[in-house]
Amino acid sequence: MMRNAPEENIKNCFHCGAPSGEMPISHDGKVFCCNGCKAVYEILRGKQLYRYYDFGEHPGVTPSISTNAKFAFLDEPNVNKKLIDFSEDGIVVVSLRIPQMHCSSCIWLLENLHNLHKGIFYSRVDFLKKRLLIKFVENKISFRQVVELISSIGYEPELGLKESDSSHRTKVERSFYLKIGVAAFCFGNIMLFSLPEYLSSSTIDISSRTLFGYINLLLSFPVVFFSGMIFFISAINGLRSKAINIDVPIALGIAIVFLRSAVDVLLQTGPGYFDSLSGLVFFLLIGRLFQNKTYDNLNFERKYQAYFPLAVSVRRNGNDTTIPITLIRPGERMIIRNNEIVPADSVLMTGIANIDYSFVTGESKPSVKSVGDLIYAGGKHLGSVIQLEAIKEVSESEFIQLWNEFGAIDKIKSRLLTLSTTIGKYFTFGILLIALSTAFAWWLIDPGKILDSVTAILIIACPCALALAAPFVFGTTLRLFGKKGFYLKHSSVVEALSKTDMIVFDKTGTITHTERTSIRFNGNSLSKEQRIQVASLARSSTHPLSRSIYDCLQVRDISEVTNFEEVEAAGICARVGGAKVQLGSASFVGAKSPDNNIKQTSVYAAVDGNILGRFEFENVYRDRLEEVLGNLNTSHSISLLSGDDDGEREKLKEIFPNFSEMQFNQSPSDKLSYIKSLQSKNRNVIMIGDGLNDAGALWQSDVAIAVTEDVSSFSPACDGILNAYAFNDLDRFIRFASTAKLVVYWSFVISFIYNIIGLYFAMRGELSPILAAILMPLSSISVVIFSTFVTQYLAKRKGLL
């Protein structure tokens, strides 16, 4: 239910909390400071968004008074192009910076914009970056109307060139350093003015003591209300969200010392504790700075443009080659095959493209593009080979943002990280209870020790060490994995890996080499025209066998491919130079059933219904495959799913552990159903495939890993990408995930031991507040150093360094 209070008891605006002034506006039994706040309240009430006011007292932001003409410039097409991230078939995606968002109520309201207007069907907040991603239907609401709607409820966006994360980070760091500088200046001067008190407190005259006391009081104001304000803001925001975070006891300790010292000076009963207060804030800020720097230096936060092993085929000097997508530059001619994702905004140069933008919009509706049309990054091409010319570089704010957005609904429930948060919350409650009990005990024994003891308890207790343990261990593991060629989407995947008990492998391109496959054509010798026809068709597919056939034929003159069609787990067909060309299984091309004595994987070729023969593959399995599977089988059950025939079943039985289940001729829907059946039996499943062909099974699995060579065998549904050269270490990666979980528990134990020892001395009154302020951040740093060092040491012991 929405809050409701009698009008006479309300002194502040019901919506934003500002003073209502001498002429408040009364409406619906509530008081508002201006017509803007009243209008927002009426909008939210009319749209049944009452829950907005449940998130805190006065959660709103006073809307700016804007005229309709203010945003008229957004109707200009040239302006829209610079501000809009994506626009296709009436679906528009835009990312806006909203500096006014400040609490959970803001997040809730901004993510419920679809309830304010039917034209908006999706909105998602990135609170740390103060950004709002909006998807809307252009024929129902214009970009200008979207901005006006957001502004009308108090969240006017900053419109202009997008500032880089680095520049924003620089501003934040500059402000933080300023706070440290002010605290250091005041700390030094307070110590200076307290020097007579230290040296000769019994002989100093009363007037000098009073003067120095007032000077120290004045110097403490910027320490508390500027430098120390970050602790108060964090604590208040937590309380408004009905949560007690780790800054609550710190803010309480600062407030107690300040108030007690101010009373001493104003009543002239003592010099106060301003030196301890300023030193406390200074050392807390220094400690937080070291924590942040240590966190940044570990660099385990996802910087995917540095980690991506993805590559795209490009045409250079008449030849096809591959380059990492991070090296794409404007003017680069890219070759996109069936089922490949466009990595950068481009212009179509040859062919007809069928682009599926479900990766961006969530709606699978292919859009037909002709030569000269613009194609946005993130679209998946369905059809024969096309050539695109890049007009932008791949950047974190575009293609990588799409990758992140695809995984916005996180399927991984991070129990250990939740455990850290839960422990931290109850830990804080416990600390407050201990502080009250200690105050009561000293009130009975020696009231003069209450202030120092309670303050030391509030400062020395360090739930932040508990909160840092899990993310630092898993983050360090993520970074170490990345160095070895295993790139995870986020650090919680490490924890998810530690909980799995079943591994499902795809075959071709996953456990087999795509570049070391032996191919033999069994049939009549192919003519030059037939070779061109077959090679042109094979070039259009991303399947590893198709790529191997194309490489084997070594054809430079490629014919135009039209009416391309790919039937999953069967084959591909198209018209090449007027002829119908087919590649696939015997049943797909209309050939006789293969001889049961054939033990190789075979792909049949046909032109206009005439069977040309079959390509026989002698697959080369990855190095250490049998050893890797054997090691994994000690902790996981193993199974194999393949869309190919069972020609190599007997050979695979020799490689896979006994009792491993193997299923062949599996379509993508069959693989998806198999994963679901395992999960229905309470199995935690890792699916390891080669990319887009396994997208359904990858998305359904608990942890999805895509194996990639030097081409774009990438799926947005996967949680990690494994470079082919790192496949040999797959067993080490999965086993080390369990080791990382143990390190988290060890870090928890160390943190608890530290807090028990610190609290013991603080409760006895043997620990000063300023010493507690020095020890508190040191404990957090020690936990970080321990978790990082032990994780790296164990990784080296297990061959991952």
Side-chain angles (χ1 to χ4, degrees), residues 686-715:
I686 303 174
M687 174 66 194
I688 303 178
D690 66 336
L692 287 166
N693 291 332
D694 302 314
L698 289 168
W699 177 248
Q700 181 62 37
S701 63
D702 297 282
V703 177
I705 300 173
V707 179
T708 179
E709 297 269 2
D710 61 347
V711 291
S712 186
S713 54
F714 152 74
S715 170

Side-chain angles (χ1 to χ4, degrees), residues 284-314:
L284 285 173
L285 291 173
I286 290 293
R288 185 152 296 188
L289 175 65
F290 276 118
Q291 288 177 8
N292 294 339
K293 287 298 181 182
T294 306
Y295 196 89
D296 292 339
N297 289 337
L298 283 176
N299 196 26
F300 65 75
E301 287 191 69
R302 184 170 68 253
K303 297 185 183 301
Y304 238 51
Q305 69 271 34
Y307 279 166
F308 254 15
L310 292 181
V312 64
S313 297
V314 297

Side-chain angles (χ1 to χ4, degrees), residues 31 67 116 119 137 287 308 312 319 409 471 539 614 634 708 719:
V31 171
T67 63
L116 292 177
V137 181
F308 254 15
V312 64
N319 296 320
I409 304 175
R539 180 173 177 262
R614 64 175 181 264
T634 60
T708 179
D719 302 301

